[in-house]
Amino acid sequence: MSSDERCPRCERPLVIKHVGHNSFLGCTGYPDCDYKRGLREQSEIEPEDLGVACPECGKELQLKSGRYGLFVGCSGFPDCEFVTEPNADEENAITCPECGSGQLHQKTSRRGTVFYACDQYPKCQFTVNQPPVDETCPKCQYPLLVKKKSAAGIRKVCPQKQCDYKSDAL
């Protein structure tokens, strides 16, 4: 993930890097330029009330700062563990094929890899590693396909292990 900022030493773009539990802005010119700056001072905010009721318990939702950036969480934490993304895009949201009530959202792991998970976690723990496509598998009727890169190009593939459906290259 890149930022619009430039390195003060060499003017190359700065990118967000993840090492273990730490995230920081680092120069794209590494190892020639080893400039880095912590994100902590930018991301530490006091929880801000949003004026929206939690769909699970009815208490107010808050904009909070966590290890992986900003998120929306219930003010009743730890009694209520409802969490969602701050800018959940409802028009492009894909319904979770496991629980049927959640939406799939892009997430970033501790190691910086991208995956897609249900926003109803911890109730629903559905995840996929490739970008989801809101189409039904023509072979097994599973309600979701994923885009997968292969030697033949990008294809739509069924994420079910027992199904071997692959579309023609896109």
Side-chain angles (χ1 to χ4, degrees), residues 102-122:
Q103 305 291 320
L104 298 183
H105 293 287
Q106 181 175 322
K107 306 272 187 180
T108 305
S109 74
R110 292 181 208 177
R111 294 177 185 89
T113 58
V114 173
F115 66 99
Y116 302 84
C118 180
D119 62 5
Q120 296 296 311
Y121 181 85

Side-chain angles (χ1 to χ4, degrees), residues 94-104 118-120 124 126 143:
I94 297 175
T95 303
C96 176
E98 293 294 316
C99 69
S101 62
Q103 305 291 320
L104 298 183
C118 180
D119 62 5
Q120 296 296 311
C124 178
F126 178 80

Side-chain angles (χ1 to χ4, degrees), residues 46-64 71-84:
E46 291 296 317
E48 178 183 326
D49 291 339
L50 299 176
V52 178
C54 174
E56 290 186 9
C57 73
K59 292 185 179 177
E60 191 164 3
L61 293 180
Q62 295 178 325
L63 180 64
K64 299 179 177 187
F71 66 97
V72 174
C74 182
S75 61
F77 181 83
D79 297 327
C80 177
E81 295 183 355
F82 178 80
V83 174
T84 187

